Amino acid sequence: MAFLDFRGGSGRVQIVSKRRATCGRHSWSPRVGACVQRTHLVRKRALLGGSNKPRLHVGSGAMEGAMQTESKIRADSRTEPGPRGPGCSLRHFACEQNLLSRPDGSASFLQGDTSVLAGVYGPAEVKISKEIFNKATLEVILRPKTGLPGVAEKSRERLIRNTCEAVVLGALHPRTSITVVLQVVSDAGSLLACCLNAACMALVDAGVPMRALFCGVTCALDSDGTLMLDPTAKQEKEARAVLTFALDSVERKLLMSTTKGLYSDAELQQCLAAAQTASTHVFRFYRESLQRRYSKS
Amino acid sequence: RTVEPLEYYRRFLKENCRPDGRELGEFRTTTVNVGSIGTADGSSLVKLGNTTVICGIKAEFGAPPTDAPDKGYVVPNVDLSPLCSWRFRSGPPGEEAQVASQFIADVIENSQIIQKEDLCISSGKLAWVLYCDLICLNHDGNILDACTFALLAALKNVQLPEVTINEETALAEVNLKKKSYLNIRTHPVATSFAVFDDTLLIVDPTEEEEHLATGTLTVVMDEEGKLCCLHKPGGSGLTGAKLQDCMSRAVTRHKEVKKLMDEVFKSMKPK
């Protein structure tokens, strides 16, 4: 898999204690001194099919071929029926952190066949024209899979940026810039939600102080009113309405929402409730993946 | 007011009112003027307090897209020039203009305000393309509401001439004497809210209020209470109950706007 190539040849030793001290409320234990940065890899055997269980991989540097399957992490809730029947479940998801060496933080998030790669640079130097005297300037760049970025990308960048601004504690790093770069690797439905999740994981990986984590959930309503969570591209096209929400981890409040299509008020409340239950699964996955990443060090 | 704008505002919000004397749920005076631009096929001018947006629609011929040969299309473009606010510079459209254009395109698409098949003249060969240019003349906050309203009013004002395809020459013949109005199916109306300090919601924010707000929310509703668009670009979190309040306010706003529109169009009919 291509992910393996990103890690360098030898084991990486990095002093991370400074970063972690700024990291507010997370469940990380501050490490003093040097520690070996391990790459947490959760990957699927085959991208097609989807009946495979993602496996955990804890690598320690030299890894080409050294694949030890530790344990399986079931990051899906396919067995749980939602409020409207068996159609409500999230696809398999997988996340890998710290796979790029240049950005301060990076993450790759996979949801079914949709995959987004995110890199975070910051807090870093900011142009005088863009600096804000009491906060960090957040910038989001979204690159589509093919073609040049257009107006739709600008609109999505604005949505992601405003969501991140609401959670990132910019006041701790005034007159700096935090840049989030997102690259769409493959698009098979629920793209915006996947971008949000990748951005959150990358911000966590970079050690940017945040007041809460956030996650993206997509719901689709088809013509007879059935609710579908995490729709595929085909389901999105056939749906009457597609709603994407970003929810925060503390109180499951609605941070961002963008919708396409016609729907009623009651349906909106229903989708929101379903998204809130789905977000618990996503947050549990975040927590588990971060725990596994730092547990061996 | 200039030194501590947030504190100044908080003092007013505590009394449940705003510096310009409005209630928290009150809109500014809305004025509409249709058909003012003679060279455009349809036009309108909307003033929401000081925010002024003018919309001009030009209908031109174009080839229908290959994946939908029996549909015409609508191309909206929001232009925020340096004229309307000190924040914008001349040159390629900035982020706010692009986001607004995308928002209007989504509203047209989602609400199905016109049936695209109505715009088709000859399947696969010729269709109407409506270029909607929304120009902001004065930006005092709540640009999205003003743009949606201007677009709706202008679309209702558009008159398309009758086109027949000449069988022999295969050219289109335009009959400028016979014009017909577009068939507007729904009336989407946008209501914008600003969130203050994670709790307070105010309707129709001015530019100053938008700047100080921690988040914004725009709801686009049509007649039957169906939502076309719930645009909340980040900002502080909202609970389900707060959303419900917004919905009910949006419903009342829709009624107000519809009444205004009907009045305007009734007064225009005798030509």
Side-chain angles (χ1 to χ4, degrees), chain A residues 211-242:
Chain A
R211 70 166 62 86
L213 296 180
F214 58 91
C215 81
V217 184
T218 317
C219 300
L221 282 166
D222 66 9
S223 34
D224 43 324
T226 358
L227 191 78
M228 267 180 295
L229 283 175
D230 204 15
T232 58
K234 187 160 162 280
Q235 285 172 330
E236 273 186 359
K237 227 186 327 182
E238 293 165 1
R240 169 169 52 101
V242 177

Side-chain angles (χ1 to χ4, degrees), chain B residues 22 26-28 30 32 46-48 51-53 100 103-104 107 134 139 141-153 188-194 202-205 210 216-221 229 231 249-250 253-254 256-257:
Chain B
R22 287 190 283 159
E26 202 184 313
F27 264 82
R28 291 173 279 185
T30 319
V32 176
V46 168
K47 274 174 80 114
L48 216 68
T51 303
T52 318
V53 172
F103 176 80
I104 299 289
V107 167
L134 292 130
H139 190 322
N142 205 359
I143 205 83
L144 295 174
D145 281 11
C147 286
T148 357
F149 195 3
L151 182 77
L152 182 61
V189 170
T191 317
S192 290
F193 302 86
I202 56 174
V203 149
D204 191 15
E210 270 182 1
T216 51
L217 165 69
T218 307
V219 177
V220 182
M221 207 171 240
C229 182
H231 187 247
R249 187 67 189 83
R253 174 64 179 166
H254 189 281
E256 292 167 15
V257 168

